[in-house]
Amino acid sequence: MTPSLRAIGWPYAAQVEDAAWQETLSAHPQARPARVTEQHRTGYVVAEGPDAGFKAESPPEWQRASSYRKGGIAPEDRAAVGDWVLLEGKKIVALLPRHTAIKRGAAGEHYKQQLIAANIDTVFVVCGLDADFNPRRIERYLVLIGGSGVTPVVVLTKADKALAENANAIDDARAALEGVAQGVQVVAVNAKDPDSVAALAPWLGAGQSIVLVGSSGAGKSTVTNTLLGVEKMKTGEVRESDSRGRHTTTHRALIPLPSGACMIDTPGMRELKPTGEEDIAENFGDIEALAEQCRFRDCKHAKEPGCAVRAAIDAGKLDAARFANFLKLRDEVAGAANQLATRLNQKANDKVQNKALYKRIDDKYGRH
């Protein structure tokens, strides 16, 4: 593979090691790989190297409205930013299997999944050290990231302003995240200072793919601009009342960095819904361990006698707000899991019904 592909995150310095990738590449010997750098309602922009993006024609099935109904293409089954595709001319002919995928439940009443980014090595969870700082929101991001195969790193921006107001601001923030970001690196930076942002270098090596998530005004675009050394991404003013910004990033874009890594900057996500595939125990192992000590196996941790969880809260060993967030996320994940199971069962039933229908047609009219 060429150095140009490597510069936009191609994961292999030499021979392709993934057997599924080898099979797909062999099935399309005339095709060449490219990466999806932008996803729009009307199509895709792909690249074969830095600053080499161009519009590509998607397969016919991707051009139809996404649907979970029989014969439809689910939205998560078509390419998204970060995906590797195979091209013949400017036409996409295949999608290389994903190594990782960060997803969320799409906004709305009906169950859908929305792919945030594919084939990502590290996700920077960006949060400002101002009124934007919210351990519960960071906790929610980490739950969504858990199980995706992607390494999370919490990036606290606006460190300079926070330290000017409180010399212990960073230490206080780390203490607040001690139970939230267990085993997760926490890095505090001044997003406008290249020397400060250099602390992110360990995750920005050649061939690495990074995605930034966080609320609007947290500093995602500012971090990106500083790493690039140019004002490529728009930044907006932040309201003093709540430190929230306007949504200056309006689509997901993949941006090659001088370090050899590439970064995806995403719009601020106002609604973070689980897909039902998350494992709550990964982020709340301490609460799960306490629950095992409860007198009753089906303890709801409300008013039952011998509840180890409530005892820990009363003793100040477990943050009540963290436990409340655990209950909220647990119920949301369980609800999404039920919706996912219903959808999968419906698809399985459709297959059974179609098979029975075709058998009746064959019996009556012969092979169809």
Side-chain angles (χ1 to χ4, degrees):
M1 291 300 147
T2 66
S4 295
L5 284 176
R6 185 71 169 158
I8 56 172
W10 184 261
Y12 304 108
Q15 184 177 354
V16 173
E17 300 171 6
D18 187 307
W21 278 34
Q22 291 175 353
E23 182 179 350
T24 306
L25 288 165
S26 297
H28 301 275
Q30 304 302 317
R32 64 193 192 280
R35 196 169 198 189
V36 176
T37 61
E38 295 181 24
Q39 179 184 7
H40 302 278
R41 292 181 179 178
T42 56
Y44 296 93
V45 175
V46 302
E48 297 176 86
D51 303 319
F54 56 89
K55 293 182 179 180
E57 179 184 350
S58 58
E61 59 269 24
W62 292 2
Q63 297 172 17
R64 296 193 293 268
S66 61
S67 172
Y68 289 110
R69 294 182 179 275
K70 175 181 174 294
I73 299 295
E76 66 268 21
D77 290 339
R78 60 185 69 195
V81 172
D83 268 321
W84 289 97
V85 297
L86 297 182
L87 300 175
E88 290 183 1
K90 291 188 177 181
K91 183 177 180 179
I92 298 174
V93 296
L95 173 67
L96 288 171
R98 295 180 182 124
H99 290 160
T100 62
I102 303 174
K103 299 180 287 185
R104 69 167 180 173
E109 296 181 2
H110 300 291
Y111 182 88
K112 290 183 179 180
Q113 290 187 3
Q114 181 180 14
L115 196 64
I116 300 172
N119 299 309
I120 299 300
D121 298 293
T122 306
V123 55
F124 289 152
V125 180
V126 183
C127 186
L129 281 171
D130 50 12
D132 179 61
F133 182 69
N134 186 332
R136 301 283 79 83
R137 188 192 308 127
I138 293 174
E139 197 165 49
R140 177 175 283 265
Y141 274 115
L142 294 179
V143 167
L144 293 180
I145 296 165
S148 66
V150 182
T151 300
V153 176
V154 176
V155 179
L156 303 176
T157 60
K158 308 175 186 179
D160 53 324
K161 294 182 179 179
L163 289 173
E165 297 179 3
N166 175 9
N168 298 317
I170 295 177
D171 291 337
D172 292 346
R174 289 182 183 277
L177 295 175
E178 187 173 344
V180 172
Q182 299 179 37
V184 177
Q185 290 268 23
V186 178
V187 182
V189 302
N190 171 3
K192 296 181 179 180
D193 181 5
D195 291 335
S196 179
V197 174
L200 303 178
W203 299 280
L204 299 174
Q208 294 291 298
S209 296
I210 314 300
V211 65
L212 293 89
V213 298
S215 59
S216 59
K220 301 187 303 297
S221 294
T222 303
V223 169
T224 303
N225 287 338
T226 301
L227 289 171
L228 283 168
V230 295
E231 291 290 324
K232 182 180 178 68
M233 305 301 289
K234 290 182 180 180
T235 58
E237 295 296 325
V238 174
R239 295 192 299 261
E240 292 185 4
S241 59
D242 58 4
S243 299
R244 301 305 296 274
R246 296 181 178 179
H247 292 263
T248 53
T249 303
T250 57
H251 63 271
R252 297 176 182 85
L254 187 148
I255 308 160
L257 299 175
S259 66
C262 58
M263 179 176 287
I264 293 177
D265 191 50
T266 67
M269 295 192 301
R270 299 182 182 183
E271 186 177 2
L272 302 175
K273 295 177 61 177
T275 64
E277 299 172 337
E278 296 81 6
D279 184 0
I280 290 292
E282 289 187 4
N283 297 85
F284 295 93
D286 54 335
I287 296 178
E288 295 283 351
L290 285 170
E292 292 180 0
Q293 301 173 30
C294 292
R295 179 183 302 177
F296 301 107
R297 182 172 297 180
D298 60 348
C299 182
K300 298 295 187 296
H301 317 305
K303 297 181 179 180
E304 296 89 344
C307 176
V309 174
R310 284 294 171 187
I313 294 174
D314 293 341
K317 296 179 180 180
L318 175 63
D319 183 3
R322 174 170 164 77
F323 177 63
N325 203 39
F326 162 76
L327 293 178
K328 186 173 187 297
L329 286 169
R330 184 195 63 183
D331 291 345
E332 288 183 26
V333 170
N338 287 336
Q339 288 183 306
L340 176 59
T342 299
R343 194 196 87 191
L344 294 176
N345 288 335
Q346 184 61 53
K347 290 177 69 174
N349 289 336
D350 287 344
K351 289 183 179 179
V352 172
Q353 291 174 7
N354 289 337
K355 186 176 181 179
L357 174 63
Y358 291 146
K359 186 178 185 303
R360 290 197 300 271
I361 293 174
D362 290 343
D363 291 344
K364 186 172 184 179
Y365 302 106
R367 302 296 298 177
H368 65 279

